[in-house]
Amino acid sequence: MNPGLDALIAEFRRTGTLSGLPREHFIHGAYQPGSGSAALETFDPGSGQAFAQFAAGGAAEVDQAVDAARRALRGAWGDAAPAERGRTLAAIAQQVREHADRLALVESLDSGKRLCEAQADVRGVVRAFEYYAGAADKMQGDSFPLDKAYVGFSIEEPVGVAAQIIPWNYPLGTAARGIAPALAAGCTVVAKPAEQTPLSALMLAELASAAGLPDGVLNVVTGEGAAAGAALVSHPGIQHITFTGSVATGQQVMRAAASHVTRVLLELGGKSPLVVLADADVEQALHGVLGAIYENAGQICSAGSRLIVERSLHGQFIERLLDRVGQLGLGHGLTNPDVGPVNSLAHLNRIHAHVASAAARGNPVLAGGSVAHPACAPGGWFYRPTVIEASCAQDAVVQQEIFGPVLVVQQADDLEQAIALANGTDYALAAGIYTRDIGRAYRFARQVDAGQVYINEYFAGGIEVPFGGNRRSGFGREKGLEGIRSYCKLKSIVARV
């Protein structure tokens, strides 16, 4: 029987760690120590203290994992009927559900996010495997209207071995949204979690094995990006790469993939606009703005990090917003504060450098703007919830992704200017609008370049809704049925009869 959440939290507070945490790579259905003894530490951002060690892998471990994945593709998983794959994914969902408390706690400790957010992430993982369990036997081809002497049709085939490069901000959720559709399509997977957050991907692979996933279908290699990640994306045995992360690293992934003409799906950064028009439900909009930027301490690619307010509403809206921002409390993720820590000391310093530079250029800092040291979480990596009024649309604080609890405010005279400002960066991941006028909301949705647009609720939707970006925010789509198509290759067949 699994220990309950309270017992797990008590164990962590008593010992500074948890028993049974994975330390090795997961390859061919079992934990493997790798070719060397090198290890890395993973830290609890709420305390700044290391709480676990894990293997530092590289090219040798990637070779082993890719070989295992290729053998599984030619064997039991490649031969499995789509319905059988669906049943296995449903069993994985059940395993995750049964171990939800432990997964959520580890995810909170590893990433720093609030426990309630980690619990929501685990529920999302269950839903992802349930959704793609149902989709596994629904991917069907088409027929072509040819001359009567011919029969033409198409079939969807798995692309092959898929690499997953998993980010540190949503390690378990992002892993599931790539792994689940890849498995549903019939692919095998080699995943490389971020070195800051390696544990939940390993735990997921172990649970998948317990659910009956054949050996070698899902493999996880841990280590630093320069060693394990680079070896994985440049490996000739990989047929597809899904990468979530920064633009600069995404460009490196594309260059590496080009040498073997490997398919790539990129979900990169964002500087997503959230527009509030004068006719909006102000209370609803205030709630939405706060969640859009301060959830997960702002460490979300699609965060609503640019608030564009219609000028006639600006003064009163910002006054009420600042009042609420000032009431947000900081604390360790396990205490479910209003805002948790950021993921690492290096990232904390990057956030503050962005804000300090913006202030030095004349952008007024209306709230926050500094590193915090809450008494309840000494040693943790915290940044005060921040609001900055942009001095101009071309300033770096508007144009560059900060990836932290920093909201940048712009003003617009009307909807047309709001749309122009929304389109005013090189990113095009998400956008949102609050208005009572559904016609104006639809105009905004049609004219703003973004992979997804939210109307009157930011982050609306779920696994059913395709997700991805345009321009510097990347290309390709995850989630929904588009997500499983990303792991398929279309074959056309024509027969003379």
Side-chain angles (χ1 to χ4, degrees):
M1 184 173 180
N2 297 321
L5 182 60
D6 289 343
L8 290 168
I9 293 174
E11 178 190 353
F12 174 75
R13 288 177 172 160
R14 185 178 66 253
T15 66
T17 187
L18 290 173
S19 59
L21 291 176
R23 298 171 59 94
E24 300 174 328
H25 314 285
F26 194 89
I27 299 174
H28 195 60
Y31 284 114
Q32 306 283 350
S35 60
S37 59
L40 299 170
E41 291 181 313
T42 186
F43 289 80
D44 166 19
S47 67
Q49 300 296 312
F51 74 98
Q53 289 188 329
F54 61 97
E61 291 75 20
V62 167
D63 281 342
Q64 294 172 24
V66 172
D67 179 66
R70 294 181 72 177
R71 284 186 282 123
L73 189 68
R74 295 191 297 266
W77 196 243
D79 293 337
E84 180 60 29
R85 294 200 300 266
R87 284 189 285 270
T88 302
L89 265 64
I92 295 173
Q94 182 59 28
Q95 282 286 320
V96 172
R97 186 182 291 108
E98 292 174 3
H99 294 82
D101 287 343
R102 184 175 177 85
L103 279 168
L105 178 59
V106 171
E107 190 79 336
S108 176
L109 292 174
D110 220 8
S111 68
K113 65 178 58 186
R114 299 184 302 158
L115 180 59
C116 60
E117 292 176 346
Q119 289 171 318
D121 290 353
V122 174
R123 291 193 295 272
V125 170
V126 172
R127 178 68 190 120
F129 278 95
E130 288 177 340
Y131 178 84
Y132 287 110
D137 59 357
K138 310 299 189 298
M139 295 304 295
Q140 56 194 40
D142 205 351
S143 62
F144 311 131
L146 304 177
D147 183 276
K148 288 191 294 184
Y150 299 90
V151 172
F153 59 96
S154 63
I155 57 176
E156 298 276 8
E157 297 181 332
V159 68
V161 180
Q164 300 281 331
I165 307 296
I166 302 165
W168 51 257
N169 61 327
Y170 280 88
L172 185 59
T174 307
R177 83 179 187 197
I179 291 170
L183 298 185
C187 295
T188 56
V189 173
V190 179
K192 208 296 282 186
E195 54 264 36
Q196 298 90 342
T197 52
L199 300 179
S200 56
L202 291 166
M203 295 168 70
L204 178 61
E206 183 180 8
L207 292 175
S209 181
L213 191 70
D215 295 348
V217 176
L218 174 56
N219 309 274
V220 179
V221 175
T222 57
E224 295 180 327
L232 180 57
V233 299
S234 61
H235 199 286
I238 295 295
Q239 282 78 49
H240 172 97
I241 301 167
T242 291
F243 171 83
T244 303
S246 70
V247 174
T249 307
Q251 291 170 331
Q252 294 175 13
V253 169
M254 287 183 69
R255 294 186 189 101
S259 62
H260 300 294
V261 198
T262 305
R263 290 169 38 156
V264 179
L265 189 159
L266 299 179
E267 198 265 277
L268 306 178
K271 193 73 176 182
S272 298
L274 179 49
V275 171
V276 179
L277 298 182
D279 68 345
D281 180 322
V282 171
E283 187 64 27
Q284 184 184 52
L286 285 167
H287 178 78
V289 169
L290 289 171
I293 186 58
Y294 298 126
E295 182 179 328
N296 200 27
Q299 300 166 124
I300 306 175
C301 296
S302 55
S305 55
R306 285 192 296 138
L307 172 62
I308 302 171
V309 185
E310 194 165 4
R311 196 174 303 275
S312 61
L313 179 64
H314 173 269
Q316 61 167 296
F317 190 86
I318 297 303
E319 181 180 359
R320 293 179 62 178
L321 178 67
L322 293 177
D323 179 65
R324 298 195 182 194
V325 171
Q327 297 177 43
L328 296 174
L330 300 171
H332 193 284
L334 295 187
T335 67
N336 280 327
D338 297 314
V339 181
V342 300
N343 181 257
S344 68
L345 179 59
H347 190 54
L348 178 67
N349 292 333
R350 281 194 293 269
I351 293 169
H352 186 58
H354 272 291
V355 174
S357 178
R361 293 192 303 272
N363 298 281
V365 178
L366 307 181
S370 62
V371 173
H373 303 282
C376 61
W381 302 316
F382 294 89
Y383 203 79
R384 288 188 172 86
T386 297
V387 180
I388 301 176
E389 187 88 38
S391 59
C392 71
Q394 288 71 44
D395 191 89
V397 78
V398 174
Q399 297 295 323
Q400 296 178 6
E401 184 177 39
I402 298 174
F403 213 66
V406 180
L407 179 65
V408 178
V409 179
Q410 298 174 271
Q411 298 183 47
D413 291 329
D414 51 28
L415 175 62
E416 285 67 32
Q417 187 180 18
I419 292 171
L421 291 173
N423 286 326
T425 75
D426 290 333
Y427 294 104
L429 184 54
I433 187 169
Y434 282 85
T435 176
R436 287 187 171 93
D437 188 330
I438 196 64
R440 296 211 291 173
Y442 284 157
R443 283 172 56 196
F444 176 85
R446 291 294 298 271
Q447 295 180 31
V448 169
D449 187 10
Q452 42 280 312
V453 177
Y454 307 115
I455 298 173
N456 290 330
E457 182 186 334
Y458 207 81
F459 296 136
I463 192 65
E464 302 87 353
V465 181
F467 177 83
N470 305 327
R471 292 188 281 155
R472 289 179 70 85
S473 292
F475 52 82
R477 293 295 181 265
E478 298 183 86
K479 299 169 58 176
L481 292 180
E482 290 300 319
I484 193 171
R485 291 190 183 98
S486 296
Y487 296 94
C488 294
K489 53 187 179 182
L490 189 69
K491 177 179 287 182
S492 297
I493 300 171
V494 178
R496 185 180 180 95
V497 295

